[in-house]
Amino acid sequence: MTAHDAEEQSGPRSPRRSGRRPGVQSTREDILSTARKMFAGNGFEMTTVRAIAAAAGVDPALVHHYYGTKRELFVAAVAIPVDPAVVLAPLKEVEVDELGAQLVRTVLGLWDDGEVRPAGLALLRSAVAGPGAGLVRSFLSEIILSHIGARLSGDADEVAVRTGLVASQMLGLIVTRYVVELEPLASMPLADLAECAGPTLQRYLTGPMPVSGS
Amino acid sequence: MTAHDAEEQSGPRSPRRSGRRPGVQSTREDILSTARKMFAGNGFEMTTVRAIAAAAGVDPALVHHYYGTKRELFVAAVAIPVDPAVVLAPLKEVEVDELGAQLVRTVLGLWDDGEVRPAGLALLRSAVAGPGAGLVRSFLSEIILSHIGARLSGDADEVAVRTGLVASQMLGLIVTRYVVELEPLASMPLADLAECAGPTLQRYLTGPMPVSGS
């Protein structure tokens, strides 16, 4: 199989028993770790499946075979057990002027329910430790914030400031509630937290903004 | 010396050459690591120098000799190279209704200047990794937020909600600017960032608040 031959030429990336061909599992993991590094370094848009395949020494068709679309590969790379496009769907159902509180309910609702939290914490941990920062930056700006920014008016620079500020408040709520576990925010009902922080997010999204970001 | 005798009874906490008495450095470090664990577990207020000394197997006088007051010991435990009481002094110089923007300028000013940032990142890293979460929680709530909360009106429950929300926005700005390095927030001049986020912090501090926190 071409993929395996090419992969062996690319040198050892993980400990292997000598004299044995790497298995399917190893090839899959090589593709994923290569994708993770390239998405982290160059972002989602600038990274192609073809480039990931070349760097992993496999055929692009094999990447698609294992991971589906580039977007699905990225979701696998960040190791989030849900598809952001699906779980963020509730954000599309509210008017832009109600998006602030809905963001708190939807995003922290995912973290509250416990399925996403371990993966989210692992992602955050890897960002704070250093190596995962680029991946989290790309995930936030190109997957989550682009989704939100598409609903806002204003030029690209202004939208980038607005969504950046949204990211700061959402990340801060996550760190305060799930990492530092600061009371009363750690045990406050989600509806109450949405009432407290919703107007902040709404101002960042649609309120007057003193700085254009350019 | 009593401190050393008592310390040897408490068993090895770090690798030591056998048959040799631990040095001053080792005793100092034992006190500090004991303090770190106890502050993390029980908070600043509930932890006494006497209890730390007992757990470390030394005399309380030795703790004071090495680290000064309980507050100075705590600052050593969180390994921040500045005294929060000194660096947060500018917050006392502004009226409460200008505290929001001043918070951004003062706190992120420290992070910007590079002396505090490595220590802050290390603290954040240890919180996200797990073991340091209690220490960060205690540092935030008992050292930083109590400082801010003392200037606010309202009952204790309401003040706790307000300062918790302030913590969430400040932590979020720190994570966005220095960890994830999301643009344009990562390179935005501090004055601009203070203009954008200041009104949020001001609302959390003194604006109408829908939830009392009790």
Side-chain angles (χ1 to χ4, degrees):
Chain A
M1 191 177 174
T2 316
H4 284 180
D5 294 343
E7 195 202 18
E8 292 203 324
Q9 291 167 16
S10 73
R13 253 182 241 97
S14 52
R16 279 172 198 155
R17 280 164 290 184
S18 60
R20 293 198 56 181
R21 285 180 161 253
V24 164
Q25 195 56 32
S26 161
T27 305
R28 280 188 72 121
E29 282 166 14
D30 278 356
I31 292 170
L32 195 62
S33 86
T34 302
R36 202 168 274 143
K37 278 177 215 152
M38 294 186 72
F39 284 135
N42 308 319
F44 177 74
E45 290 299 336
M46 299 294 287
T47 304
T48 63
V49 168
R50 181 170 296 273
I52 291 167
V58 302
D59 194 89
L62 191 69
V63 177
H64 289 301
H65 172 70
Y66 284 147
Y67 292 104
T69 64
K70 182 171 94 166
R71 188 193 167 87
E72 287 164 336
L73 173 60
F74 187 80
V75 171
V78 294
I80 292 285
V82 290
D83 185 336
V86 174
V87 296
L88 297 181
L91 298 180
K92 286 196 175 159
E93 287 162 21
V94 299
E95 297 297 319
V96 169
D97 59 7
E98 290 163 13
L99 203 49
Q102 186 63 48
L103 256 170
V104 177
R105 286 191 293 264
T106 301
V107 175
L108 298 195
L110 282 169
W111 281 72
D112 267 7
D113 109 341
E115 193 196 357
V116 172
R117 200 188 311 178
L121 284 173
L123 200 56
L124 199 56
R125 197 172 296 132
S126 109
V128 176
L135 201 62
V136 171
R137 183 166 57 242
S138 173
F139 178 67
L140 273 177
S141 65
E142 297 181 77
I143 306 290
I144 308 291
L145 301 180
S146 61
H147 198 88
I148 295 164
R151 301 201 53 193
L152 306 182
S153 53
D155 64 22
D157 286 339
E158 184 187 319
V159 166
V161 172
R162 291 183 181 281
T163 58
L165 290 164
V166 165
S168 80
Q169 179 59 92
M170 292 304 301
L171 281 170
L173 288 170
I174 287 168
V175 169
T176 308
R177 187 172 169 93
Y178 306 105
V179 174
V180 180
E181 298 183 2
L182 186 74
E183 294 297 355
L185 266 64
S187 359
M188 192 183 276
L190 204 49
D192 291 353
L193 199 50
E195 260 194 273
C196 289
T200 288
L201 293 156
Q202 199 58 52
R203 185 175 73 82
Y204 289 158
L205 291 165
T206 55
M209 196 47 54
V211 174
S212 74
S214 61
Chain B
M1 189 176 176
T2 317
H4 285 181
D5 295 341
E7 195 202 18
E8 291 204 324
Q9 291 167 17
S10 72
R13 254 181 241 94
S14 51
R16 280 173 197 155
R17 279 163 290 181
S18 61
R20 294 198 54 181
R21 284 182 161 249
V24 164
Q25 195 56 31
S26 161
T27 305
R28 280 189 73 120
E29 281 165 15
D30 278 356
I31 293 171
L32 195 61
S33 86
T34 303
R36 203 168 273 142
K37 280 178 212 148
M38 295 186 72
F39 284 135
N42 309 319
F44 177 75
E45 289 299 338
M46 299 293 287
T47 303
T48 63
V49 168
R50 182 170 295 273
I52 291 167
V58 302
D59 194 88
L62 192 68
V63 177
H64 289 301
H65 172 71
Y66 284 148
Y67 293 104
T69 65
K70 182 171 92 164
R71 188 193 168 85
E72 286 165 335
L73 174 59
F74 187 80
V75 171
V78 295
I80 292 285
V82 289
D83 185 336
V86 174
V87 296
L88 297 182
L91 298 180
K92 286 196 174 157
E93 288 162 19
V94 298
E95 296 298 318
V96 169
D97 60 7
E98 290 163 15
L99 204 48
Q102 186 63 48
L103 258 170
V104 178
R105 285 190 293 264
T106 300
V107 176
L108 298 196
L110 282 170
W111 281 73
D112 266 8
D113 109 340
E115 194 195 358
V116 173
R117 199 189 309 178
L121 284 173
L123 199 57
L124 198 57
R125 197 173 295 132
S126 107
V128 176
L135 201 62
V136 172
R137 184 166 57 242
S138 173
F139 177 68
L140 272 177
S141 65
E142 296 180 80
I143 306 289
I144 308 291
L145 301 180
S146 61
H147 198 88
I148 296 165
R151 303 201 52 193
L152 306 182
S153 54
D155 64 22
D157 285 340
E158 185 187 319
V159 167
V161 172
R162 290 183 183 280
T163 57
L165 290 165
V166 165
S168 80
Q169 179 60 90
M170 292 305 300
L171 282 170
L173 288 171
I174 287 167
V175 170
T176 307
R177 187 170 168 94
Y178 306 105
V179 174
V180 179
E181 298 183 0
L182 186 74
E183 294 297 355
L185 267 65
S187 358
M188 192 183 276
L190 204 49
D192 291 353
L193 198 50
E195 259 193 273
C196 289
T200 289
L201 293 156
Q202 200 56 51
R203 186 176 73 83
Y204 290 158
L205 291 165
T206 55
M209 196 47 55
V211 174
S212 75
S214 62

